[in-house]
Every structure is written in structure tokens, then in C-alpha cells.
Amino acid sequence: MIQAVNHVALLPLYAAAGTALLVLVVELAFGRFHLLTATAGGVATAVCAVAVPDHAATFCGGDLCSWTVTPHAGVMTVIFAGLTIGVLALSAPALRRGLAPVGEFCFLLTCSMTGGVVVAYAGDLISLIVGLETLTLPLYVLVGLRRVRASAAGSSAAVTFFLISVVSTAVALLGAALLYAATGALHLDALVEGSGPYESLAAVGAALVVVGFAFKVAAVPLHAWAPATYDGAPVPVAAYLSTASKLGGVLALAAVVQRLDTGPLVAVLAVLTMTVGNLVALRQTRMVRLLAWSSVAQAGYILAPLAAGAAGVQAAYAYAIFFVLLEFVAFGAVAALRGPGTDGGDLDDYRGAGRRSRWPGAALVLAFAGLAGLPPGLAGLFAKVAVVASLITAGWGWLAGVVAVNAVIALAYYLRAAALLYAAPQQPVIHLADTAPAVVLDPDLLHRAPSVSRTVLAAVTVAAAATIAAGFLPQSIFDALSG
């Protein structure tokens, strides 16, 4: 019997994959228009995700389908497309200066977006793992992609990311194989742990799948790659790693833990991740490494409600979405303050930056406030409240307490970094001989604002506005995100 394919359900995938192929054709035929093509493809992907009817499906065998359309899948696809467009905007100044090959950059980024779409709609474990790898594989190259000779840090970051990711993928595939051997099913809706002689085998398989997927969200002890990779990558690529790649990992973990009994393992991962991330972030002296360790801690907050299984998925989705918005604002502001083609720099480099560049500085403070759960970052505040409330309701009160304690610890480095943006710049110390000619210093020199690309400023402004608006979303939105 020939199985019919619902092409309407596959429209978001066609749009994303078609964008990657179109960028490749444009590169070969014209050698320009890459950014415009990739941006238009991202918009088309988002439109298709909104237009596809809910509960459509394809690649089905009976009641089980490998491609399922749900409301939350559409929301996640729109976010993946929006992040791709945002990273293109952040990267535009550096690409125009020839710091990286434009065609290859846009092609790889849109390929990664295609993987995100597959993860959002995946209905079985194999599609989920393939989507995650399609999302991650192009990032290995993007981390070290330079037209000029790559720095040692960039090359090392790319190799570290690649090697650890390969191991995590092998672990996840082994877990999927064991689950299939124990349950005879790969579809997520039919995924239940075995009983009798296969119960132990299924438990081991479920644990291995969770550990393999935990790499994607940089959960401890699978976090070591994140700080070095983020710091060695271009800032826009680090932004994509910290948002889109992490969102894909969250979706994969949520799909598994709500169907299998992995609560104790996920709870241990959550406690280790948020605690280690916050404690190590206190000692960071570089901005991107601070954001990287902060991202590790935030992954712990996302994992915490997943320990409650299906009861915590809604809160995990909501927190992941708000985190992605806030994290992108933070990296976008760093890109605007540092300029194209530069790294994140040391924290001392940001002393007084909020005075020199008001809008990027204000956006970075907004991101820090939201990640810390302080006003005016209402999105981050409500997301933390949702996580704590879901844990208490599900009977995980002790884990809610750990989340609250870690949120207090995180205040120290968020407030320190935010205060540094408006600290008085250090005056240079000049020693002149008595016979030396007089030196006149321009009083505006220390307060002169660096030039900020309009595309970068626009991307940061849009993301900041979306973050503020997200804080006022009604409770019904949270219900919709759970599908």
C-alpha cells in the first residue's frame, strides 16, 4: 500500500530547506543577494508555520505519525526563523567587510534553521535525533568560519564542539536503540518503558537518551564545551548557539521526559547545572564567558520543571522561550557595543559603555534584569514564577527551593555586570617629564560613542521590544505553548 504524503503539513520544512538550496544557487549564479535571500526564506518559513492547519500530520502508520503539526510546533518554528533572521542582521556588518564568506555563512545558517524545523515537528526518536544533528552540524563550521586566518581560540572552539557533540550523538543513538529493543516503538506517542525482563533495558535506554540530549542544552557535566566555544566563536554565532541550539535541545528533552520516567535523573542534572553555572559565573572576567556560564545556569532552570514530567513541560517551554529572547538581546547588545569582527572582550572593556552607547547599553541591562528575574524584565520574572509554581504543584517543593536559592546567587554577577556599564570610565594615568610639551586631552574622547550598524541596532531593538511585550502575555499563551 502506497502511503500518501501530506505536503501541506511539510510546508515549513519545504520553505526552510528550499531557502538553504536557494542561497546556494544564488551564490553560484550571482555571487550576491545572499543576505536578502536568506532573510526572505526565514520570513517564508515563519509564514508557512503559521499557515499550516493544526493537527495535520504525515508519514503515518495507523495512529502514529513521524511528522505532527501542533500549535507549539508552529510557535517554535517561528522562533527558529526569527533567530535566524536576527543572527543574519547581527552578522551583516562583518559579512559586508569580508570577514567571513557570505554565501557559505548564509547557507550553513539556513541549514541549521532547517534542522530546528525538523525538531519542532518530529514525531519519532529518529526524526528528533536527525533534526538535532542537522541543527548542530552547520554550527561546527560557523564557529570557526573566517575569511582571514582563524584564531587559535576559534579553531580550538570548533574542534572541541565537534568532538563532544559526536560523543553525545552516539550516546543518544545508543539510548534510542535500547528503547526500541525494549519497547518495539520509536514513535514518541507510543514510547513507554518496558516491563518484566525489558524494564531495566528501557530504563538504561531512557537515561542514555536524556544524557545525549542534555549536551545540547549544556547541562552539567556535559557543559565543558560551552564557555570555550561561545568565547571562540563570532558573537552572532555564539548568540545562535546559546538560543536556537539550546532551544532544540529543550524540545528534544521535553519530548522524551514527558513520556518516560526520568524524573530523578533530570532533577540531578538540573541541580548540578544551575548550581555549577551560577557559582562559576561569579568568577568570570570576560563578557561572553559570563553569558556562557549564565546560559548553563539558565539551562538548569529549564530542566527543573522537566523533572516533573508532563506536568512541567508547559513551564519549561515558557521559560525556554523567554530565555531565548533575553539571551538574544544580551548577545545582540554585546555585538553592538563591541563592533563587527571583534570578540566579546573583557568585562572591564564595558566600563561606562552604557553612557557612550545608550540604546545598546539599555538593552543589555534589560537582558540582565530579565535573566535575573528583576523588573523591568517582566518576562524573566514571570517565567521563574511559572517554573517554581509548576514544581510546587507537582510535589517537587525541594527543587523549587533550589531554583529560588540559585536565582538569588545569580543576582550578584548580573548586577555587577549591569552596574559596570554605567560606572565612571577610568581616567588614563599620564607621566610627563618636566620638560615635556603640554598635552591637551579631548574631554569628549572618553565618552565618544562607537558607530553602531543600523542593522545590528534594529535587531537589538526588535528583540528587546519583543521581550518587554512577552512579559505582558496572558496565561492563555502559556496554555497554547504546551500544545
Side-chain angles (χ1 to χ4, degrees), residues 86-104:
V87 170
L88 288 171
L90 294 181
S91 306
L95 294 176
R96 292 195 185 102
R97 294 188 180 189
L99 300 179
V102 185
E104 289 87 337

Side-chain angles (χ1 to χ4, degrees), residues 263-287:
L265 174 61
V266 176
V268 171
L269 289 176
V271 171
L272 290 175
T273 301
M274 68 179 82
T275 304
V276 172
N278 281 324
L279 292 178
V280 179
L282 292 171
R283 303 186 57 187
Q284 298 308 304
T285 59
R286 289 184 61 80
M287 179 59 78

Side-chain angles (χ1 to χ4, degrees), residues 149-235:
R149 187 169 61 90
S151 65
S155 302
S156 175
V159 172
T160 301
F161 185 30
F162 170 75
L163 291 177
I164 299 180
S165 182
V166 167
V167 174
S168 72
T169 302
V171 171
L173 285 172
L174 177 59
L178 293 180
L179 276 175
Y180 180 72
T183 65
L186 286 174
H187 288 91
L188 297 176
D189 290 338
L191 202 59
V192 293
E193 292 192 13
S195 58
Y198 301 106
E199 184 176 2
S200 298
L201 185 63
V204 172
L208 290 176
V209 170
V210 169
V211 170
F213 289 166
F215 162 84
K216 305 300 182 182
V217 299
V220 175
L222 306 169
H223 66 289
W225 63 274
T229 302
Y230 289 12
D231 201 22
V235 175

Side-chain angles (χ1 to χ4, degrees), residues 314-334:
Q314 176 181 332
Y317 281 159
Y319 196 98
I321 291 173
F322 291 146
F323 160 75
V324 163
L325 290 172
L326 292 163
E327 191 80 351
F328 185 82
V329 171
F331 274 99
V334 168

